[in-house]
C-alpha cells in the first residue's frame, strides 16, 4: 500500500517535471508572427463611425469587441449603439459589440422589464453580451441616497434573465487597487495620470466612499448568487495587483473569466519581480483569460478625456498598432522592451503558442459565442 502510494506520488512528480519541461520547450511565436495570428481584442471602445479602428484591426489581424458603456465622457448610449450597429453592418467578420443599460429609474416598477426589453432588442441586433460599469457601486444611489451595489436585489430580475438566456455579463466593478493609494505609492504611471485627471474617481480623495475590499466583497457576493451566469471580470476583475488573488477568484467561481484590458502594466510590474510565477499563472489559467486592451477611439476632440491612449496628436491607428504590438511582445515572445508606465525594461513571458491562441482568440469565442474550444 505504502509502496503504491509512493509509486503514485513519484509518477505524479515525474509527470509534473515532464509537463513543466514540455511547457518550457513548447514552441512560441515571434514578434513577426503578430500580424498573421488570428486575434480578438475583447475590450475596446469604438465610439466613432470612422474606419480608423477597423482599418488597423484588419491590418493587424484583430477582430474587435467594442463595449458600450454608460460613461459620461463617452457619447450618449443611443449614439454608441448606432455606431456599433453601423460598424458591425460594415464588417461583421471583424466588428462585434456589447450592449449596456442605463440605471435611470432603477428600483421603479418598470426598470427591469424595460431594461430586459432593451437588452433583448440589442441582442437581436447582434450584441453578444452586456456590460455593467463601475457607476454601480461607486456613483448610482437609491432614493435614500445609499450607493447601489451589484448585489442589490433590484438586479435579480435582469440577472436571472441573462443567466437563463446565456447572455454574458462583462462587469467593471471598483477600480485598480492603486485608486485607494496616494499618488506616490501607485505602482504604474498610467493609473497615476488617470486618477490625477479623474479626481471624481480617485477614491483616495474620497474616504467617505466604500473601500476597495468592500466593493470586491459586493462583487463576489453577486457572482456567488449567480453561479450559472457567464461572468467576465473586466480589467482582471479589479484584482490586477496580484495574480494570486486572481487565481483565488477563478478557483472560487468556475463561471468567471477575466479580460486583461488596461492592466498589462500591473502584470508586468509583478513579472519583473517573479517572471516564472506570472508565467505559470497564465499557463494554469489559460482557459480563463481573454486579451483586451481598452483602446478607445472617440470623436475627434483635443479635450476628449476618454480617448485611450490619451490624445496627443498621434493618429489613432499608430497608437493602436504600437499598443497591440507591445502586448504581443510581452505575452507571446521572450523579448525585452521598455515600459514607460513602470519605468522599467520588461522581459516577455514567451507563453506557449497554444496558450497565446486561447488568450488571444479561442477563449473569447467560447465565452461570447459559446463555441466549443478547439
Ligand atoms: Zn473599457
Amino acid at each position: 500500500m505504502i509502496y503504491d502510494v509512493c509509486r503514485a506520488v513519484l509518477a505524479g512528480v515525474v509527470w509534473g517535471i515532464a509537463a513543466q519541461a514540455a511547457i518550457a520547450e513548447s514552441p512560441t511565436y515571434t514578434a513577426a508572427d503578430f500580424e498573421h495570428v488570428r486575434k480578438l481584442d475583447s475590450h475596446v471602445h469604438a465610439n466613432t463611425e470612422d474606419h480608423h479602428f477597423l482599418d488597423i484591426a484588419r491590418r493587424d489581424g484583430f477582430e474587435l469587441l467594442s463595449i458600450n458603456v454608460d460613461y459620461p465622457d463617452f457619447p450618449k448610449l443611443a449614439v454608441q449603439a448606432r455606431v456599433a450597429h453601423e460598424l458591425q453592418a460594415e464588417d461583421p467578420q471583424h466588428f462585434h459589440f456589447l450592449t449596456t443599460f442605463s440605471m435611470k429609474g432603477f428600483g421603479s416598477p418598470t426598470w427591469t422589464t424595460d431594461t430586459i426589453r432593451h437588452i433583448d432588442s440589442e441582442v437581436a441586433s447582434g450584441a453578444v453580451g452586456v456590460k455593467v460599469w463601475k457607476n454601480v457601486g461607486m456613483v448610482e444611489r437609491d432614493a435614500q441616497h445609499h450607493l447601489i451595489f451589484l448585489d442589490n436585489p433590484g438586479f435579480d430580475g435582469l440577472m436571472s434573465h441573462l443567466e437563463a438566456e446565456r447572455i454574458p455579463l462583462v462587469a467593471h466593478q471598483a477600480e485598480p487597487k492603486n485608486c485607494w493609494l496616494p499618488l506616490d505609492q501607485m505602482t504604474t504611471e498610467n493609473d497615476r495620470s488617470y486618477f490625477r485627471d479623474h479626481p471624481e474617481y480617485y477614491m483616495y480623495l474620497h474616504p467617505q466612499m466604500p473601500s476597495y475590499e468592500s466593493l470586491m466583497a459586493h462583487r463576489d457576493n453577486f457572482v456567488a448568487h449567480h453561479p450559472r451566469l457567464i461572468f467576465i471580470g473586466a480589467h482582471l476583475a479589479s484584482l490586477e495587483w496580484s495574480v494570486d488573488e486572481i487565481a483565488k477568484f477563478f478557483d472560487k467561481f468556475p463561471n468567471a473569466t477575466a479580460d486583461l484590458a488596461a492592466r498589462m502594466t500591473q502584470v508586468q510590474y509583478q513579472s519583473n519581480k517573479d517572471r516564472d510565477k506570472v508565467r505559470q499563472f497564465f499557463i494554469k489559467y489559460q482557459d480563463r483569460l481573454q486579451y483586451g486592451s481598452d483602446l478607445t477611439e472617440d470623436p475627434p476632440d483635443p479635450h476628449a478625456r476618454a480617448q485611450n491612449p490619451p490624445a496627443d496628436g498621434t493618429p489613432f491607428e499608430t497608437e493602436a498598432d504600437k499598443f497591440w504590438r507591445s502586448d504581443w511582445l510581452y505575452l507571446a515572445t521572450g523579448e525585452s522592451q521598455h515600459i514607460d508606465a513602470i519605468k522599467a525594461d520588461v522581459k516577455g513571458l514567451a507563453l506557449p503558442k497554444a496558450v497565446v491562441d486561447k488568450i488571444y482568440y479561442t477563449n473569447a469565442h467560447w465565452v461570447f459565442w459559446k463555441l466549443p474550444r478547439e
Side-chain angles (χ1 to χ4, degrees):
M1 176 64 189
I2 288 176
Y3 172 76
D4 282 350
V5 170
C6 287
R7 204 170 56 171
V9 168
L10 189 65
V13 170
V14 170
W15 183 87
I17 293 169
Q20 293 276 345
I23 287 165
E25 284 165 21
S26 51
T28 54
Y29 287 116
T30 65
D33 290 326
F34 168 76
E35 291 164 36
H36 313 294
V37 176
R38 65 180 183 176
K39 301 178 292 303
L40 189 146
D41 188 333
S42 69
H43 189 139
V44 302
H45 304 284
N47 291 337
T48 93
E49 52 275 268
D50 74 30
H51 300 187
H52 298 154
F53 213 156
L54 260 175
D55 285 348
I56 189 62
R58 285 187 285 239
R59 222 177 307 149
D60 283 352
F62 265 107
E63 293 174 30
L64 302 175
L65 178 52
S66 181
I67 302 183
N68 288 185
V69 190
D70 192 8
Y71 177 19
D73 287 351
F74 277 2
K76 291 195 183 328
L77 287 181
V79 175
Q80 292 182 48
R82 179 172 52 73
V83 168
H85 299 166
E86 283 182 25
L87 292 176
Q88 199 198 33
E90 183 188 315
D91 190 344
Q93 292 289 336
H94 288 91
F95 190 89
H96 319 286
F97 71 100
L98 288 191
T99 184
T100 192
F101 56 87
S102 164
M103 286 293 289
K104 224 171 274 170
F106 179 81
S108 75
T110 56
W111 184 85
T112 299
T113 42
D114 290 349
T115 304
I116 288 176
R117 192 179 312 118
H118 162 73
I119 286 171
D120 285 352
S121 129
E122 285 298 296
V123 168
S125 303
V128 295
V130 176
K131 164 85 170 225
V132 58
W133 196 53
K134 65 188 178 190
N135 58 335
V136 173
M138 300 182 80
V139 178
E140 298 293 335
R141 291 176 186 272
D142 64 17
Q144 288 74 44
H145 213 60
H146 296 137
L147 281 165
I148 299 164
F149 297 101
L150 192 55
D151 56 353
N152 186 300
F155 287 111
D156 282 352
L158 169 62
M159 298 305 166
S160 299
H161 179 72
L162 300 187
E163 259 181 310
E165 298 298 318
R166 314 252 323 124
I167 299 170
L169 179 75
V170 172
H172 175 178
Q173 287 288 280
E175 286 285 23
K177 204 177 177 191
N178 279 337
C179 176
W180 281 263
L181 300 177
L183 286 171
D184 63 353
Q185 285 178 31
M186 291 188 186
T187 46
T188 68
E189 287 301 319
N190 48 325
D191 282 347
R192 200 169 286 134
S193 56
Y194 179 83
F195 292 117
R196 198 173 30 219
D197 296 347
H198 294 79
E200 70 275 31
Y201 301 133
Y202 181 21
M203 290 302 109
Y204 179 71
L205 302 178
H206 306 280
Q208 76 284 6
M209 291 289 286
S211 66
Y212 170 79
E213 290 75 15
S214 130
L215 288 167
M216 291 293 91
H218 282 291
R219 188 273 312 274
D220 287 359
N221 194 31
F222 168 81
V223 184
H225 273 87
H226 298 280
R228 287 172 50 249
L229 182 64
I230 302 170
F231 182 90
I232 300 101
H235 310 298
L236 284 172
S238 293
L239 299 166
E240 72 297 323
W241 57 279
S242 164
V243 293
D244 294 330
E245 292 299 315
I246 306 166
K248 278 190 223 161
F249 177 75
F250 285 157
D251 291 345
K252 198 166 169 191
F253 303 114
N255 56 322
T257 60
D259 76 41
L260 287 153
R263 299 294 181 267
M264 203 69 84
T265 55
Q266 308 270 5
V267 178
Q268 291 164 335
Y269 180 83
Q270 292 170 72
S271 73
N272 265 12
K273 294 192 182 327
D274 191 343
R275 179 174 174 271
D276 193 50
K277 177 183 173 174
V278 172
R279 188 168 186 273
Q280 289 306 323
F281 164 79
F282 274 90
I283 290 168
K284 181 168 180 190
Y285 295 98
Q286 58 185 272
D287 293 330
R288 314 288 293 277
L289 296 157
Q290 285 100 246
Y291 178 74
S293 63
D294 215 13
L295 285 165
T296 302
E297 193 195 16
D298 260 355
D301 170 6
H303 306 296
R305 297 200 318 158
Q307 186 87 1
N308 185 34
D312 68 354
T314 313
F316 180 76
E317 303 96 296
T318 311
E319 298 270 25
D321 180 65
K322 196 171 135 205
F323 192 103
W324 279 335
R325 285 178 193 272
S326 167
D327 285 352
W328 176 263
L329 215 58
Y330 176 64
L331 293 170
T333 82
E335 290 187 36
S336 287
Q337 61 182 314
H338 188 78
I339 299 294
D340 290 342
I342 57 171
K343 296 183 180 149
D345 288 341
V346 174
K347 185 173 162 56
L349 296 177
L351 295 172
K353 280 184 177 179
V355 175
V356 170
D357 290 345
K358 284 183 178 183
I359 292 172
Y360 267 100
Y361 196 80
T362 332
N363 290 349
H365 274 253
W366 175 74
V367 167
F368 292 104
W369 287 268
K370 297 89 172 176
L371 295 180
R373 287 203 163 98
E374 290 163 22

